[in-house]
Amino acid sequence: TGKVCWQNLQEGQIGPCSFCNNDRLLTAEGMPTGVHHAEIHNQVTGKWYDCRDQAILWSDGRMVRLEIATDITSRKEVEEELRLQSAALHAAANAIVITDKNGTIEWVNPAFIALTGYNEAEIIGTNPRDMLKSGVHSQAFFKELWDTLLEGKVWRGEITNRHKDGTLYPEGQTITPVKDASGEITHFIAIKRDLTEQRKLEAQLHHAQKMESIGTLAGGIAHDFNNILTTIIGYGTYALMKMTPDDPKRQYVQHMLEASDRAAHLTKDLLLFSRKQIFSKKPVELNLVVAKMEKFLSRVIGEDIEVKTIPLRSSLPVLADDYQLEQVLMNLATNARDAMPHGGILTVTTEEVVLSKKFVATQNFGTPGPYALITVTDTGCGMDEPTRQRIFEPFFTTKEVGKGTGLGLAVAYGIIQQHEGFINVYSEPGMGTTFRIYLPLITAKISEEFQTPEEASVGGTETILLAEDDEYVRAMTKSVLTEFGYTIIEAVNGAEAVSKFNEFNETIDLLLLDMIMPKMNGKEALDEIRQLRPDIKAIFSSGYAPETIRQKAALAEGVHLIAKPASPTELLKKVRQVLDEKANVKPCTPN
């Protein structure tokens, strides 16, 4: 009482408040103007008031100000909470929709509009069943949903809905009943999440896992098959050596070896697919690889198909095995030929692209940056979506029985993956097919060293310690080497190889060790032997591909490789090559 209001009810004021209405309570003639309304924040107490001010005539004849203030602090707090909630609902990345208890839409946020394609005017007052229903789900599905909600429980699940343009999309939903003070359900609020990108990533992961597991199986099959082929090719070649040129049975052995050679190429395809085949990567100019293949492709796919190559004018250096890239192009061209039985056009283009973080995340491969892009397009019959999705699966083929192994595109997929690249395909029935291959670009200078191997004798008189657990391969290898003058000491596993070496140490000139053996593998046996003779020369052989051997052995320490199936000629040349090398090795260090 007796004090100035703004000095006691506000902080930091040096005069009347901006919202003060004293000057508006009276007319120029001094008469009351009526009631004035304002919401005022008392900074001293922190409370909000709804104030209604007017001038009245006091008992002593003065005109005074009467203010009736109602504390609305709680209401303002609720309003602020509602404002924050509303802002959050509007800004939410997930689509949100509020319906009444019958399912009629009363409110949606901007994310819902972006997801469905409907604007607010089109959707308010409608039922999601009428606007979004896809027709995919059964009546039982929706009955279970509504039974859960009407029991007052939250429903969580996945549902397929329909965009405004008619396309379907997968959606994750959480629907919650909203109750009034009496516990009655008045509304439902649904939070919806588009699962389209997630489903794509899951499909890619599933495909990668499937390819990896099949690849592991394929690699194991190839290993065992290579051991069998080593024996067949070895004895077949050995038998051929013993025959005279006019022997009538010679053609039978030659046919057998030709069939074995085709089988060996099949195992190489399996190893390529399983990513267990050796790759000799070096900087290569991608345009040169394509140019080299152009004439060859023209001869292979037939005269009724025109081959066009459109290379980028500038250089496209990549770290690659050019032979394997040629095989990829050959496989794609072969498929294109089969898709154009009445002729057409095969176009191969190269260009440089820069992949963004978003693209890399979507495709789930590689790192952002510059890539070389090879595009192979045909004007053939194309394929439907179910076929397109399976096109890279091993042994999947749309060709007639006997006209394809179903490994061509699976091998291409494996090669590109091993080059840290990515291959995808787009096709529609009757519209042709387009393959796109992405390979990381490099800036290294491209250079090649050409070496002419010197012809040398393949026979010798040295002593070789042969360790091989497959008795047929061991017997065949011994026969070939013995025939050409070598002395062979046999061992059936790594442990016996060490024992035999201890017994015949000074007489042994070379170790020929199978990489994978029981009791002790080739790497472990070599480590022990080199403790006694660090300079001993060694060759690892395996039905697995050399890449597997590289992981097991330190190649920098003078260890040589030979992959099964190797012909007797290849074996003899490798043995002679290693024996003739100057000793320059160090002890093998454990991995």
Side-chain angles (χ1 to χ4, degrees):
T1 300
K3 295 183 179 181
V4 179
C5 66
W6 56 265
Q7 291 177 335
N8 291 271
L9 304 180
Q10 302 296 329
E11 293 179 344
Q13 295 284 105
I14 57 175
C17 303
S18 60
F19 49 77
C20 184
N21 50 29
N22 275 8
D23 60 343
R24 286 169 281 167
L25 296 179
L26 297 174
T27 65
E29 293 76 19
M31 297 302 292
T33 57
V35 178
H36 291 264
H37 171 258
E39 288 185 357
I40 298 172
H41 183 216
N42 185 319
Q43 296 178 359
V44 176
T45 64
K47 294 186 176 183
W48 281 86
Y49 295 91
D50 179 82
C51 297
R52 299 182 184 274
D53 300 339
Q54 67 183 109
I56 63 172
L57 188 64
W58 199 238
S59 57
D60 59 4
R62 290 179 298 149
M63 195 68 72
V64 299
R65 170 181 171 178
L66 169 66
E67 180 172 272
I68 301 174
T70 303
D71 187 345
I72 58 169
T73 304
S74 297
R75 192 191 81 191
K76 294 292 286 186
E77 290 174 349
V78 171
E79 287 176 352
E80 176 59 24
E81 184 178 357
L82 290 173
R83 187 201 66 77
L84 176 61
Q85 291 173 352
S86 177
L89 291 174
H90 275 84
N94 290 334
I96 300 174
V97 56
I98 298 175
T99 74
D100 64 14
K101 62 181 180 179
N102 297 316
T104 302
I105 297 174
E106 293 187 355
W107 182 89
V108 296
N109 70 341
F112 179 91
I113 293 171
L115 172 63
T116 64
Y118 290 101
N119 61 42
E120 190 172 353
E122 291 173 315
I123 205 74
I124 299 299
T126 67
N127 193 297
R129 291 192 296 270
D130 302 325
M131 304 296 286
L132 305 177
K133 191 173 181 180
S134 63
V136 171
H137 303 285
S138 65
Q139 290 297 324
F141 174 86
F142 290 107
K143 183 179 185 302
E144 183 272 332
L145 185 155
W146 278 104
D147 286 348
T148 300
L149 294 176
L150 294 177
E151 289 176 6
K153 299 177 182 178
V154 176
W155 184 87
R156 294 180 178 88
E158 295 182 9
I159 189 170
T160 299
N161 273 340
R162 177 167 47 87
H163 292 116
K164 181 180 178 180
D165 63 9
T167 58
L168 304 183
Y169 66 97
E171 182 180 271
Q173 277 198 36
T174 300
I175 307 177
T176 305
V178 180
K179 301 176 181 179
D180 61 15
S182 64
E184 293 294 321
I185 296 174
T186 60
H187 293 81
F188 298 102
I189 179 169
I191 301 175
K192 307 154 80 67
R193 183 165 61 95
D194 187 357
L195 301 177
T196 303
E197 290 303 318
Q198 180 179 323
R199 289 291 173 268
K200 288 181 180 178
L201 292 175
E202 288 174 354
Q204 289 173 358
L205 177 60
H206 176 71
H207 179 71
Q209 290 173 334
K210 179 171 61 176
M211 298 289 273
E212 185 68 26
S213 60
I214 297 175
T216 301
L217 173 63
I221 293 172
H223 164 260
D224 293 340
F225 197 37
N226 277 337
N227 271 341
I228 298 169
L229 286 175
T230 298
T231 305
I232 296 172
I233 293 172
Y235 279 122
T237 305
Y238 188 57
L240 208 59
M241 291 176 182
K242 295 294 184 180
M243 290 181 175
T244 60
D246 58 348
D247 191 320
K249 299 183 180 64
R250 188 179 182 87
Q251 62 175 327
Y252 303 136
V253 178
Q254 288 174 331
H255 291 329
M256 178 186 74
L257 289 175
E258 289 171 1
S260 298
D261 186 61
R262 289 197 299 272
H265 278 86
L266 178 59
T267 61
K268 286 181 180 179
D269 282 348
L270 285 170
L271 289 170
L272 281 170
F273 165 70
S274 65
R275 292 182 289 178
K276 289 181 169 61
Q277 179 63 290
I278 186 171
F279 271 52
S280 178
K281 291 184 183 178
K282 61 183 178 181
V284 298
E285 171 53 54
L286 190 60
N287 288 326
L288 294 179
V289 175
V290 173
K292 179 181 177 182
M293 289 297 294
E294 181 177 7
K295 292 182 179 179
F296 187 70
L297 291 178
S298 298
R299 291 196 300 268
V300 169
I301 66 176
E303 296 179 355
D304 57 344
I305 296 177
E306 180 183 358
V307 178
K308 293 182 179 180
T309 59
I310 308 174
L312 184 70
R313 290 182 179 271
S314 57
S315 177
L316 287 173
V318 295
L319 187 64
D321 184 322
D322 53 353
Y323 171 77
Q324 304 298 352
L325 291 186
E326 290 171 7
Q327 183 168 357
V328 170
L329 293 175
M330 179 57 65
N331 287 342
L332 296 182
T334 302
N335 278 274
R337 177 197 63 196
D338 295 338
M340 298 184 287
H342 306 296
I345 301 174
L346 176 67
T347 306
V348 182
T349 64
T350 63
E351 58 184 302
E352 180 178 346
V353 296
V354 177
L355 301 188
S356 65
K357 291 182 179 179
K358 182 178 180 181
F359 181 91
V360 168
T362 302
Q363 300 299 329
N364 196 28
F365 89 99
T367 56
Y371 281 73
L373 171 60
I374 308 174
T375 304
V376 181
T377 302
D378 66 59
T379 58
C381 58
M383 65 188 87
D384 56 24
E385 184 60 17
T387 302
R388 190 195 69 82
Q389 291 181 354
R390 298 189 61 191
I391 199 68
F392 294 117
E393 292 184 10
F395 309 112
F396 173 76
T397 180
T398 57
K399 301 176 184 178
E400 297 176 16
V401 176
K403 292 190 175 182
T405 63
L407 276 175
L409 291 179
V411 167
Y413 180 91
I415 290 173
I416 299 305
Q417 287 280 307
Q418 203 159 358
H419 279 81
E420 299 177 8
F422 181 75
I423 181 171
N424 62 25
V425 57
Y426 177 80
S427 184
E428 291 184 17
M431 301 298 291
T433 300
T434 296
F435 288 89
R436 291 183 176 86
I437 302 168
Y438 299 85
L439 296 169
L441 277 173
I442 60 172
T443 56
K445 183 179 179 181
I446 300 176
S447 63
E448 292 188 13
E449 295 182 1
F450 296 94
Q451 297 180 346
T452 303
E454 296 181 1
E455 293 296 329
S457 171
V458 294
T461 58
E462 291 88 348
T463 299
I464 300 172
L465 174 57
L466 169 64
E468 169 63 62
D469 61 311
D470 188 300
E471 62 176 310
Y472 298 106
V473 175
R474 188 173 66 252
M476 183 279 301
T477 304
K478 179 182 178 181
S479 296
V480 171
L481 294 174
T482 302
E483 176 71 18
F484 281 81
Y486 296 104
T487 300
I488 304 301
I489 299 172
E490 296 181 68
V492 299
N493 55 54
E496 187 176 358
V498 174
S499 176
K500 290 291 181 71
F501 187 86
N502 287 330
E503 184 179 352
F504 300 100
N505 185 334
E506 297 302 324
T507 64
I508 295 174
D509 301 293
L510 175 69
L511 305 176
L512 181 54
L513 308 172
D514 186 28
M515 189 65 245
I516 310 298
M517 293 185 290
K519 295 186 179 180
M520 182 183 290
N521 64 37
K523 170 63 166 56
E524 294 166 341
L526 180 61
D527 286 343
E528 287 205 21
I529 290 172
R530 281 193 167 173
Q531 296 298 320
L532 301 174
R533 276 181 56 188
D535 62 339
I536 187 67
K537 296 176 180 179
I539 300 174
F540 282 152
S541 69
S542 178
Y544 290 112
E547 188 62 30
T548 301
I549 305 174
R550 289 178 185 276
Q551 295 172 3
K552 299 288 185 180
L555 297 186
E557 305 299 339
V559 178
H560 292 262
L561 309 176
I562 187 166
K564 301 174 183 176
S567 69
T569 302
E570 291 173 323
L571 174 64
L572 290 165
K573 284 184 177 180
K574 175 62 72 174
V575 167
R576 192 66 261 163
Q577 172 198 338
V578 175
L579 285 170
D580 290 341
E581 279 186 350
K582 293 180 179 180
N584 183 26
V585 295
K586 299 176 183 178
C588 228
T589 54
N591 288 339

